[in-house]
Amino acid sequence: MDIPGLGTVFEDLDGWYRSEPVHVPALGDRVLNVIVNGYDDDPAKEEFHTAIAAFLDVDDSVLKAAAPAIFDYYQDVVSEATDGAVPVTISNPDEVWAHIHPVEAAVERDSFRDQHVYVTVECNCDWEPEHGLQIVLRDGRAVTKVGPYDGHLTNAAAFNRDDLEGVVYHRLR
């Protein structure tokens, strides 16, 4: 099957579609597989196409704008370290990207809240090897959530709190 922007995709064991590796300019032209969830049953597939195209077209300024929120996440993880061991020292938001390692991207619709299509980038990060980093872009265009990988598309959904709608990073405490 072909999905515009991704080309030929293959169904994996979970019934999701997986692309061949694609170049993602916003991530320094890294090459990632993209997973698409919920595509077959979606009545507005063109919204998936639009989100995929936007994600593959945005430049790194979109992700760099999220660096302060990602740095906040880093600082929270460091402040929670009970043994005093900090795996990496990051002095400011501009340094976070040197410690982030994207693994794959996933595209899916938020069928429970706002009905938009989101692109989630799952990352390993040097400061949090267990929970990693999740970066979510609404419609593939703008970062709307960062933090530990929890699979939620927004903080409002993650914490079931309407007052967190639009909050990019919600502190761990």
Side-chain angles (χ1 to χ4, degrees):
M1 162 186 244
D2 279 2
I3 294 180
L6 298 179
T8 302
V9 295
F10 304 93
E11 192 169 350
D12 68 14
L13 296 175
D14 296 318
W16 299 357
Y17 291 112
R18 180 177 295 275
S19 76
E20 292 292 332
V22 296
H23 291 276
V24 182
L27 295 169
D29 214 27
R30 286 201 171 105
V31 177
L32 300 178
N33 292 89
V34 178
I35 297 169
V36 181
N37 181 20
Y39 184 79
D40 283 335
D41 298 327
D42 199 278
K45 290 176 179 58
E46 67 279 354
E47 292 177 9
F48 278 77
H49 308 160
T50 300
I52 291 165
F55 174 65
L56 296 176
D57 192 47
V58 297
D59 62 33
D60 65 351
S61 67
V62 170
L63 293 177
K64 285 183 179 179
I70 295 169
F71 185 66
D72 287 345
Y73 170 46
Y74 160 77
Q75 290 180 308
D76 279 353
V77 170
V78 168
S79 73
E80 296 288 319
T82 56
D83 60 3
V86 178
V88 62
T89 300
I90 303 173
S91 302
N92 62 64
D94 294 332
E95 295 177 6
V96 296
W97 290 105
H99 303 280
I100 295 171
H101 316 285
V103 176
E104 66 185 6
V107 183
E108 64 184 301
R109 182 178 299 283
D110 181 356
S111 57
F112 299 106
R113 292 188 77 86
D114 69 7
Q115 303 300 308
H116 281 264
V117 175
Y118 287 83
V119 177
T120 298
V121 181
E122 178 182 351
C123 305
N124 292 325
C125 60
D126 296 339
W127 66 88
E128 177 49 288
E130 184 177 348
H131 299 106
L133 170 67
Q134 179 180 6
I135 304 170
V136 183
L137 296 91
R138 182 178 178 183
D139 300 321
R141 290 185 176 90
V143 175
T144 55
K145 179 180 183 277
V146 301
Y149 193 91
D150 62 12
H152 293 286
L153 300 174
T154 65
N155 280 305
F159 296 94
N160 196 25
R161 291 180 39 193
D162 290 339
D163 64 315
L164 294 177
E165 199 63 53
V167 173
V168 174
Y169 176 67
H170 181 64
R171 295 206 174 276
L172 300 176
R173 295 182 197 190

